[in-house]
Amino acid sequence: MIKRHACFVLMLSLATAWASPDLHAQESGITLVAEPAEVSLVVGTEIALVVKAVDASGDSVEMDLRFAAPRSVLRYRDGVLQSYSAGDFEIVATGVLPDGATGTPPMLRIPVHVAWPAIDRVELNASGAGLYVGTTLTHDPVALHADGTRRPEASFAWRSSNPAVASVDVYGTVTAMSTGAVTITVEIDSEAEGQASYDVQAFPATELMIDGGADQARTGDVLHFSARARGPEGSLPNLPMTWAYTFVPHDSIRSPGASAIVEDGAFVAEVPGRYTLLAMSGPLMARRTVLIHGRDAVQEIELQGRGAVSNTHTSDLWIFEGLDGRDYAITGTWSAAGWAYFWDVTDPSGIFKTDSLQLDARTVNDVKVAPSGRYAALSREGASNRRNGVVILDMTDPAHPRVASTFESHGVTGGVHNMFATEDYLFALANGDKYVIIDVRDPYDPKFVSEYNHPNSRVHDVWVHDGIAYSSEWQNGVVVVDVGNGRWGGSIENPVFVTRVPYPVGATHAAFPYFQESTGKFYLFLGDEIGGGRGRAWAGPGRDNRPYDPETGEGGIQGRMDGYLHVIDFTDPENPKDVARYEVPEAGTHNSWVEDDVLYQAYYKGGLRVVDVSGELMGNLGDQGREIAVYKPQDPVGFLRNQVSVWGGQPHKGHVFFSDMNSGLWAAKVLPKGRPIS
């Protein structure tokens, strides 16, 4: 059975226009043929696929072709097909009739069969090193291919060599029954197996205690407890330990079920109440009670001013202090006519437009400004001549920028979706395939420096922090590259791969790196961008994004988005850990910004979300009372009237500025907490 996906990517071949536009395609006998006609390949590999138009005699005819394929699993570019996931799919090729031609364009469906590579090894990842009678160990098995990639959704089967010594359940939990030797085996899909051997000893402890943590805390605060076991000969540090908790809520109607997380003694509560932690090993159990208070993070947010845009969709924004000492904003436009707008935001309550530029583009998706404000860059997609690239601006007069130059080489002509600007270099995406590093020390004479193209990947965004580039590459997660930090031998001229943060459960759209001074931890905030609400009870309407037409009653509906924000502890780059999430029901994330332990999250229909991300992060931040403020911009005369779709937010000098796709630029202020009323 052919598997169809809702999200498709369209690409146009480089063929020239088809001759004889006055003829019908069918009457001319033009068909499409593929070599091979049916494709079989393995995940992570690529294969040549040639599609051409032929006439009734079998001779090739020059014709533009469009290709549609499920972008989450296949990529077809320059005659090469790559795969990301196993299954049965199809590519749809369609001929493009020239202006004036009539009839139905020729179409061809090409079956694609993708298999997983062979499993090279299975790692069991036990929760402890030893087993004692009456204790349990858990296992987190991972099946790995030869290239180190992980087989998703693997099916594991477990068995014990001696169930009288230790039993194992279908989830890999091993329980020691008596002393003796035992081998635990896991098998995956009859392809490979892994083993772990244990010598079960008599249980040695006589006493168990819980140390550390605190007696009281707030929701969202992470407390670290440790279990201490003792026996006749003293401390026993390596006993297998099971942690759990009981819960007495402050409000039994609001919080009737599980409301906390405890992992290896790390504990976080998501609702107020009285929690009793339990540490268990063999026949012993220790208890510790903690009182959890509400976080009380909510503050008022107040609208300050607007830069309204109601004739088209607004895209990204950037706020900066200009060389003249005043504050400015740049906003782009999406699926419009290539406009970028420039605003004076020195007084957020009196925002006014200072200038505008129209580029040869359909979309100015991204806008960026150098830290000093000396240059800016505008991205281009959908240029009429198909030469996109970036436009670099001289910001000497920030109210009235001048076009300094354009950069249109090394693949950026295929479209620049996102960029990142440092003082001397601009990182620009090239056709979703790689990012190109451009020397802009002289904005009138930009020069190619280097590029980075991760194998078998599609890139959507890049952010640079401390000489390290974090590129968001959809199902491949975040790719981390040394572009001048030097720790891994990289430089701006010679980018060096560091590691990849897997992201198999989402679609990595953007990453924001953040060093938290209070804890010394380094976090990556990774946002999904998933179109539609597949699998949800409310999938929402299909993508529309057209203004309302009172004559037909159509349009006026914002497309449904899904996905959430993942928080990765990246303090140890060699061992990244997925520790927390921030999810808003019935909404999807877009761009993020973190400053002074506050997250400013654009959540499309969910509006602008301001979230407390202070202290160690663990669990679902949205359930912990960490939300400080929410602002949902609604404009009755917006491009889509009263439809909320926040694209991105940025704090600047005590205010937060954000762009909404339907209504332009907004400025708000989070007010300090007032004194309680006695």
Side-chain angles (χ1 to χ4, degrees), residues 399-656:
H400 303 286
R402 295 176 54 192
V403 174
S405 60
T406 59
F407 186 88
E408 298 178 345
S409 65
H410 295 82
V412 297
T413 54
V416 178
H417 196 64
N418 278 304
M419 307 172 294
F420 187 87
T422 70
E423 190 59 36
D424 296 332
Y425 301 97
L426 180 69
F427 293 69
L429 268 58
N431 199 27
D433 188 49
K434 61 186 179 181
Y435 55 83
V436 173
I437 304 175
I438 306 165
D439 183 338
V440 286
R441 283 176 288 189
D442 179 357
Y444 287 85
D445 186 23
K447 294 181 173 66
F448 171 79
V449 178
S450 61
E451 63 182 40
Y452 183 81
N453 187 349
H454 196 70
N456 301 321
S457 191
R458 296 173 55 249
V459 60
H460 179 273
D461 199 3
V462 63
W463 197 274
V464 182
H465 176 87
D466 193 23
I468 298 175
Y470 301 87
S471 58
S472 301
E473 313 220 0
W474 297 114
Q475 277 70 23
N476 274 346
V478 171
V479 175
V480 183
V481 176
D482 185 344
V483 292
N485 178 278
R487 177 178 170 184
W488 293 271
S491 66
I492 200 73
E493 297 83 7
N494 180 38
V496 172
F497 173 76
V498 176
T499 188
R500 182 175 70 88
V501 182
Y503 206 104
V505 297
T508 316
H509 158 269
F512 194 97
Y514 178 68
F515 175 72
Q516 191 181 67
E517 292 186 3
S518 61
T519 63
K521 290 184 175 293
F522 192 87
Y523 288 111
L524 291 180
F525 292 82
L526 314 182
D528 294 328
E529 186 178 48
I530 302 173
R534 295 181 298 278
R536 300 278 188 173
W538 179 67
R543 180 176 290 276
D544 192 320
N545 292 326
R546 297 174 299 158
Y548 177 72
D549 186 339
E551 294 186 3
T552 64
E554 297 178 348
I557 299 175
Q558 187 70 38
R560 171 82 160 84
M561 300 302 294
D562 209 344
Y564 60 90
L565 189 73
H566 304 243
V567 184
I568 310 295
D569 186 339
F570 199 69
T571 308
D572 177 4
E574 306 302 325
N575 187 31
K577 297 178 181 178
D578 197 343
V579 294
R581 64 193 285 162
Y582 174 53
E583 185 170 12
V584 176
E586 298 185 354
T589 65
H590 203 237
N591 292 346
S592 309
W593 196 291
V594 186
E595 185 172 289
D596 296 331
D597 288 356
V598 176
L599 163 69
Y600 301 89
Q601 180 62 52
Y603 232 113
Y604 277 133
K605 282 180 176 291
L608 174 76
R609 324 289 292 204
V610 184
V611 184
D612 170 12
V613 291
S614 62
E616 185 176 352
L617 303 178
M618 180 176 170
N620 191 342
L621 309 183
D623 291 340
Q624 297 171 3
R626 286 180 173 270
E627 289 184 320
I628 296 171
V630 175
Y631 196 95
K632 296 186 178 183
Q634 292 176 288
D635 186 347
V637 295
F639 187 68
L640 300 186
R641 297 179 179 183
N642 286 324
Q643 294 282 315
V644 175
S645 190
V646 175
W647 180 287
Q650 181 183 343
H652 184 76
K653 296 185 179 180
H655 294 82
V656 55

Side-chain angles (χ1 to χ4, degrees), residues 168-381:
V168 60
D169 66 14
V170 295
Y171 305 108
T173 301
V174 177
T175 302
M177 315 297 289
S178 62
T179 59
V182 66
T183 297
I184 303 299
T185 301
V186 60
E187 185 179 28
I188 171 174
D189 298 334
S190 301
E191 290 186 53
E193 65 178 33
Q195 292 183 333
S197 296
Y198 299 99
D199 183 14
V200 180
Q201 304 292 317
F203 187 75
T206 57
E207 185 180 13
L208 189 61
M209 295 155 285
I210 296 178
D211 298 324
D215 295 329
Q216 298 187 48
R218 302 173 302 168
T219 54
D221 289 343
V222 179
L223 304 178
H224 290 272
F225 297 91
S226 60
R228 179 162 48 95
R230 294 180 59 85
E233 298 181 359
S235 178
L236 299 165
N238 295 319
L239 286 185
M241 201 69 56
T242 299
W243 288 88
Y245 71 90
T246 63
F247 172 51
V248 178
H250 284 178
D251 184 341
S252 61
I253 303 300
R254 176 185 174 193
S255 312
S259 304
I261 299 172
V262 57
E263 295 178 355
D264 296 327
F267 170 80
V268 62
E270 297 187 336
V271 298
R274 189 170 70 249
Y275 296 78
T276 298
L277 275 71
L278 308 174
M280 297 167 281
S281 185
L284 301 180
M285 178 186 294
R287 295 177 173 83
R288 177 74 177 276
T289 299
V290 181
L291 180 62
I292 299 296
H293 304 281
R295 197 167 187 89
D296 190 26
V298 173
Q299 297 174 230
E300 291 186 29
I301 187 168
E302 186 176 82
L303 175 65
Q304 300 295 297
R306 291 191 55 196
V309 178
S310 58
N311 63 326
T312 187
H313 280 304
T314 296
S315 59
D316 212 353
L317 81 163
W318 196 266
I319 314 298
F320 64 102
E321 181 178 311
L323 296 177
D324 60 1
R326 296 183 65 82
D327 296 318
Y328 295 91
I330 305 177
T331 58
T333 53
W334 183 82
S335 194
W339 286 99
Y341 300 119
F342 303 86
W343 312 84
D344 188 311
V345 299
T346 309
D347 176 7
S349 65
I351 296 173
F352 62 93
K353 188 185 298 181
T354 64
D355 211 335
S356 60
L357 283 174
Q358 187 177 24
L359 312 181
D360 180 7
R362 180 184 68 253
T363 292
V364 179
N365 190 76
D366 198 15
V367 298
K368 289 292 189 293
V369 181
S372 68
R374 69 179 185 86
Y375 79 87
L378 308 177
S379 71
R380 293 198 300 162
E381 292 180 292

